[in-house]
Amino acid sequence: MKELSLHILDVAENGISAGADIVRIEVDEARAANRLKIVIADNGRGMPDDILRNVTNPFYTTRTTRRVGLGLSLLESAARRCDGSMRIESAKGKGTRIIAEFKYDHIDRAPLGDIVGTMTTLIMGNPDVDFEYYHQIDGRQFSVNTRDVKEESGSSSVTDMAVFQLLYKKLHNGLKQLKSGER
Amino acid sequence: MSKLTIDDLKKIKEKTAKETSLRHGEANIKLMVHMGTCGIAAGGRDVMNALMDELAKSDRQDIRVVASGCMGMCSSEPNVTVEVQGEEPIIYQHMDANKMRQVFKRHVLLGEVQTDFALAKI
């Protein structure tokens, strides 16, 4: 994967296939500590221990359409290659939480990339799921919640183009502000 | 027959509501962008974003876009399935943003299947 935001998209889709209706994505850029942390948490059905043990093995998958499962293995190797790590907390029936940490200035760390594209793809492709996005750069925060956006626009569906455009604007401007603020 | 719980009934209700909304003109056309790990790595997100951009421009309320999983044809990703009500679904292969825009304008809006990009019809 060329961007970390693609890993986020991929892992978040896992949570949705596990029946989640709330997915929370956190990006924490702590440059003073030279650390980038990504958390993807869902309230899906969670994983039993035997699956959890095997989940980062690329030759293990629960799917039936192919015999390899690469999503989490790729994220783990991306984190490890940047002097970081990935851990998974999962409770059956409660959901799963993936925490990936990277050394911020590691030469092999892929850029975060088009996070707005990731979020709009997730939100539009899964209109029945609520998303919470939380981004922190050196202690300053920005967050978006699809429930609030739906309420604000008075529409119950994100597939309504007006809602989508509002969401896009919020994400785009919010992140721009967050990034420009610290300079 | 085993006992139905309230949850089961809710699920049936939701499923039926989804299916009927697809039948009754609310959503005549459904586009599925396959977004497994393979689809994402091959550029599925750009395809999805191009599709949403075209959809916003077209101002059509009867078109539904969904992200679906890998269908086992990882080598031909990004794949997009176009389901027009009453016609056979068409799977497109090796999509990119430009091809997606062409498929949307030609196939979805005008009904001309873009056979050059097609992988198969189901």
Side-chain angles (χ1 to χ4, degrees), chain A residues 95-112:
Chain A
T96 301
R97 195 177 163 82
I98 316 276
I99 302 121
E101 287 189 292
F102 302 78
K103 189 173 163 190
Y104 192 87
D105 67 357
H106 197 285
I107 189 115
D108 285 331
R109 184 182 67 83
L112 191 57

Side-chain angles (χ1 to χ4, degrees), chain A residues 19-172:
Chain A
D21 58 5
I22 301 173
V23 175
R24 180 176 169 84
I25 292 163
E26 294 171 27
V27 178
D28 182 3
E29 302 182 39
R31 285 182 296 192
N34 199 14
R35 189 178 48 92
L36 171 70
K37 184 168 141 193
I38 294 172
V39 179
I40 301 141
D42 67 65
N43 66 345
R45 70 177 81 91
M47 286 181 277
D49 284 344
D50 57 323
I51 293 183
L52 201 54
R53 264 199 304 279
N54 279 312
V55 80
T56 55
N57 174 353
F59 298 105
Y60 180 84
T61 178
T62 54
R63 69 170 67 246
T64 49
T65 51
R66 55 175 146 85
R67 283 175 304 164
V68 289
L70 295 175
L72 284 170
S73 351
L74 286 174
L75 179 57
E76 186 179 45
S77 64
R80 281 197 179 164
R81 153 164 96 220
C82 307
D83 294 341
S85 64
M86 185 188 82
R87 56 177 204 279
I88 305 169
E89 296 162 1
S90 188
K92 229 182 150 211
K94 286 194 179 152
T96 301
R97 195 177 163 82
I98 316 276
I99 302 121
E101 287 189 292
F102 302 78
K103 189 173 163 190
Y104 192 87
D105 67 357
H106 197 285
I107 189 115
D108 285 331
R109 184 182 67 83
L112 191 57
D114 182 11
I115 192 77
V116 178
T118 284
M119 290 312 295
T120 50
T121 298
L122 278 171
I123 292 163
M124 292 303 283
N126 306 283
D128 302 328
V129 181
D130 277 320
F131 291 91
E132 297 168 6
Y133 179 72
Y134 178 87
H135 195 137
Q136 182 166 314
I137 299 181
D138 296 336
R140 295 176 321 100
Q141 303 163 9
F142 162 70
S143 67
V144 168
N145 185 328
T146 51
R147 261 167 306 173
D148 295 346
V149 175
K150 279 182 208 167
E151 240 169 63
E152 195 178 315
S153 60
S155 171
S156 59
S157 171
V158 284
T159 49
D160 195 331
M161 273 302 148
V163 185
F164 170 66
Q165 268 146 4
L166 179 69
L167 202 69
Y168 180 84
K169 231 185 271 167
K170 257 186 187 264
L171 276 165
H172 190 78

Side-chain angles (χ1 to χ4, degrees), chain B residues 20 27 35 50 54 66 70 72-73 112:
Chain B
T20 45
M35 300 257 253
E54 288 300 323
V66 289
C70 166
M73 315 268 261
E112 302 163 11

